[in-house]
Amino acid sequence: MDAAEFRRRGKEMVDYIADYMENIEQRQVYPDVEPGYLRDLIPQEAPESPEAYEAVVKDIERVIMPGVTHWHSPYFYAYFPTASSFPAMLADMLSGAIGCIGFSWAASPACTELETVMLDWLGKMLNLPEDFIAGTAGKGGGVIQGSASEATLVALLAARHRKVQQMRREQPDRPEADIVSKLVAYTSEQAHSSVERAGLIGGMRMRKVPTDEKFAVGGEALRRIIQEDRKAGLIPCYFCATLGTTPSCAFDHILELGPLCNDENVWMHIDAAYAGSSFICPEFRPLLDGVEFADSFNFNPHKWLLVNFDCSTMWVKRRSDLIGAFRMDPVYLKHDHQESGLVTDYRHWQIPLGRRFRSLKMWFVFRMYGVKGLQDYIRQHVHLAKQFEGMVRSDPRFEISADVVLGLVCFRLKGSNEQNETLLKNINSARRIHLVPCQLAGNFVLRFAVCARTTEMRHVQEAWQHISDLASELLLKHPH
């Protein structure tokens, strides 16, 4: 394919994508295929000779689309949103074309510098404390990670490094292996499974802290476990607080937890993967109060801020904590400006060496929506969730299972877990809408998350009518 054909085919692909997005609600939201469906639709080996582009494009509808779960359908209410906007898609095209691998400033200065500035822009939109803003003289700053899972792990590894260095200064004769074997991390019993996984990868035991009636961790619960561990000769090292848990969008009490972590010399990382986007709205910003006590903070613009995956933004108070944990400087990665003080080499802030030009997506989206446009988008989703909550509450057969704070509604039939499991199975088998469940206080609960950029009130009303009809059918067959 030469440049001339690329121009033609590129325009055709943009048309295909625009048609897909415009007509997505006509597609069945959840695929009706069996495992292994795709293998039978394509050859067992790659072709020896080149195929025509037309043949490849023709196979998109035949091979790919039957097995796609349409995350951007207004009938998709599962998990949490994954962001999608046309400005971000265009920026991704440009990023792919430039194709730089921005592990250092010298590898592509614009890739590094735009990221630093975009993280400052977004940090200011969130009204983060000055400690987290890089500016030209700050000690902190932001970085784009691939996912919140990566950010959690990076923070845990930095906390481990900092604690080991501190302990070795205090007890120079103590072997590092002995220190590492005693380190312990903490998180909510409601935290995402990726936090526990970070402990597995980082070689640190992870204690789960019990939550209160709102499914949130409070200061006293964490204090008790830390005291137990100190008495047992363990070394408390890291606490991952969650703002907007995956099951119910609960908010840990970071105004209590932050000072405790600071007093105990425990690194506090805040994971706000979904909820963090809402903090750009003044009415939701109080949910982030207490971030001033944190060592690191992360959320995913690729969930709810119209910046396509992957773009997980992380800030640290002291970038030296990250760089100290990850710095490697082989001669082939050195460059003339790395000690200038104005230069960031982001390879020291992350697990992989390579990185794409992801800040282009942020730049395009922030400029083309503006802060006001992004705030309006968040508020519309919260409004739709509140409307759905009202529909559930108006039906005496159902109950709300957790506070509705943002765009997630947790609800269930006032019946057995088995009844609710059957209801969810019937909803997803019908394939008109897509939901996933959670467990709250021993109850099987259905989660309704407003996800798609194009979701409107008519879609939410249609979804509720569908759920209500299926509940009526179920209760007729199985009244108890």
Side-chain angles (χ1 to χ4, degrees):
M1 185 181 289
D2 59 16
E5 188 182 359
F6 176 71
R7 285 179 199 277
R8 190 167 83 255
R9 299 308 190 185
K11 287 167 188 166
E12 288 170 7
M13 182 54 76
V14 166
D15 284 339
Y16 178 85
I17 292 167
D19 288 343
Y20 169 73
M21 298 305 290
E22 279 190 328
N23 301 302
I24 195 168
E25 67 181 86
Q26 263 65 67
R27 294 179 184 264
Q28 185 174 280
V29 62
Y30 191 65
D32 190 8
V33 295
E34 294 298 320
Y37 91 94
L38 189 145
R39 186 174 284 278
D40 294 334
L41 297 178
I42 60 175
Q44 297 304 301
E45 288 90 24
E48 286 292 325
S49 303
E51 291 188 40
Y53 178 78
E54 290 88 346
V56 178
V57 169
K58 197 172 164 189
D59 277 350
I60 295 172
E61 289 294 335
R62 184 180 73 86
V63 177
I64 304 302
M65 287 301 173
V68 170
T69 300
H70 297 286
W71 281 65
H72 302 292
S73 165
Y75 299 116
F76 182 92
Y77 301 104
Y79 313 107
F80 275 134
T82 184
S84 172
S85 69
F86 293 122
M89 289 182 217
L90 291 172
D92 249 348
M93 286 172 66
L94 179 57
S95 172
I98 292 172
C100 64
I101 311 297
F103 46 74
S104 71
W105 181 87
S108 202
C111 181
T112 292
E113 295 199 12
L114 187 65
E115 184 163 334
T116 305
V117 177
M118 287 304 98
L119 270 289
D120 279 1
W121 276 19
L122 184 52
K124 289 171 185 174
M125 285 158 63
L126 296 162
N127 196 18
L128 285 183
E130 198 61 33
D131 287 347
F132 291 101
I133 305 300
T136 55
K139 293 182 178 173
V143 58
I144 301 175
Q145 305 285 1
S147 65
S149 310
E150 280 179 48
T152 301
L153 175 59
V154 164
L156 180 137
L157 294 173
R160 184 179 77 173
H161 180 265
R162 188 174 80 177
K163 181 62 76 176
V164 167
Q165 298 304 107
Q166 173 209 327
M167 297 291 294
R168 298 210 61 188
R169 282 194 300 273
E170 293 170 5
Q171 304 171 40
D173 296 331
R174 188 171 183 180
E176 184 171 327
D178 179 56
I179 297 168
V180 170
S181 72
K182 299 289 195 294
L183 297 179
V184 59
Y186 308 90
T187 194
S188 163
E189 62 186 8
Q190 293 285 313
H192 193 271
S193 58
S194 61
V195 183
E196 192 174 356
R197 195 159 176 260
L200 283 174
I201 297 169
M204 198 183 300
R205 74 189 77 193
M206 183 75 64
R207 297 283 310 271
K208 291 189 179 179
V209 185
T211 55
D212 60 20
E213 72 286 351
K214 300 279 191 187
F215 311 109
V217 171
E220 198 46 49
L222 179 61
R223 179 180 282 108
R224 276 198 303 272
I225 291 187
I226 286 177
Q227 286 171 349
E228 279 174 26
D229 287 346
R230 287 206 188 279
K231 280 181 191 163
L234 298 173
I235 305 169
C237 177
Y238 174 83
F239 172 63
C240 180
T242 307
L243 296 180
T245 58
T246 302
S248 68
C249 199
F251 292 79
D252 289 344
H253 303 288
I254 56 174
L255 279 167
E256 298 172 13
L257 295 159
L260 170 63
C261 288
N262 290 179
D263 289 347
E264 295 283 353
N265 199 10
V266 166
W267 180 299
M268 183 166 83
H269 175 68
I270 296 175
D271 172 18
Y274 161 67
S277 297
S278 73
F279 305 154
I280 67 168
C281 301
E283 65 269 33
F284 299 125
R285 176 56 179 78
L287 294 167
L288 187 57
D289 287 354
V291 69
E292 59 271 20
F293 300 108
D295 294 276
S296 53
F297 163 67
N298 164 255
F299 84 98
N300 292 342
H302 69 229
K303 276 192 167 66
W304 206 15
L305 209 61
L306 296 170
V307 181
N308 289 34
F309 188 85
D310 57 337
C311 181
S312 184
T313 47
M314 176 186 186
W315 290 264
V316 286
K317 257 189 191 152
R318 291 170 299 276
R319 55 178 175 263
S320 58
D321 287 333
L322 287 194
I323 294 166
F326 296 111
R327 186 169 193 127
M328 289 278 170
D329 263 331
V331 68
Y332 49 82
L333 296 180
K334 289 182 184 290
H335 58 88
D336 291 345
H337 299 284
Q338 65 185 50
E339 306 302 336
S340 73
L342 284 173
V343 165
T344 297
D345 283 350
Y346 277 124
R347 70 178 184 275
H348 302 312
W349 296 52
Q350 61 174 27
I351 291 163
L353 173 68
R355 53 208 334 277
R356 296 184 302 113
F357 201 163
R358 292 176 290 205
S359 55
L360 279 171
K361 292 183 286 197
M362 300 174 73
W363 194 44
F364 274 45
V365 168
F366 295 167
R367 292 180 69 186
M368 294 185 70
Y369 278 88
V371 177
K372 186 176 181 305
L374 294 169
Q375 290 170 335
D376 290 346
Y377 171 69
I378 297 286
R379 287 169 179 147
Q380 171 64 4
H381 273 200
V382 175
H383 171 70
L384 292 174
K386 288 288 184 187
Q387 294 298 112
F388 184 82
E389 178 192 10
M391 295 172 200
V392 175
R393 288 191 186 280
S394 69
D395 188 327
R397 302 172 300 172
F398 285 88
E399 62 189 358
I400 295 291
S401 304
D403 289 353
V404 179
V405 181
L406 298 174
L408 175 69
V409 182
C410 293
F411 71 105
R412 67 193 303 276
L413 278 170
K414 292 174 182 173
S416 67
N417 283 345
E418 290 73 25
Q419 253 185 344
N420 281 280
E421 285 180 40
T422 303
L423 176 60
L424 180 66
K425 188 178 176 196
N426 293 348
I427 289 167
N428 285 334
S429 296
R431 292 180 164 80
R432 278 179 54 190
I433 64 173
H434 188 42
L435 305 181
V436 294
C438 66
Q439 285 277 351
L440 293 174
N443 287 327
F444 185 92
V445 172
L446 283 65
R447 295 169 75 265
F448 184 94
V450 181
C451 289
R453 175 174 52 84
T454 53
T455 305
E456 298 173 3
M457 181 57 70
R458 65 186 175 89
H459 301 117
V460 172
Q461 288 168 334
E462 206 178 313
W464 172 245
Q465 188 61 55
H466 181 53
I467 293 166
S468 179
D469 291 346
L470 288 175
S472 299
E473 285 176 26
L474 175 66
L475 293 171
L476 264 176
K477 288 181 190 168
H478 308 283
H480 299 296

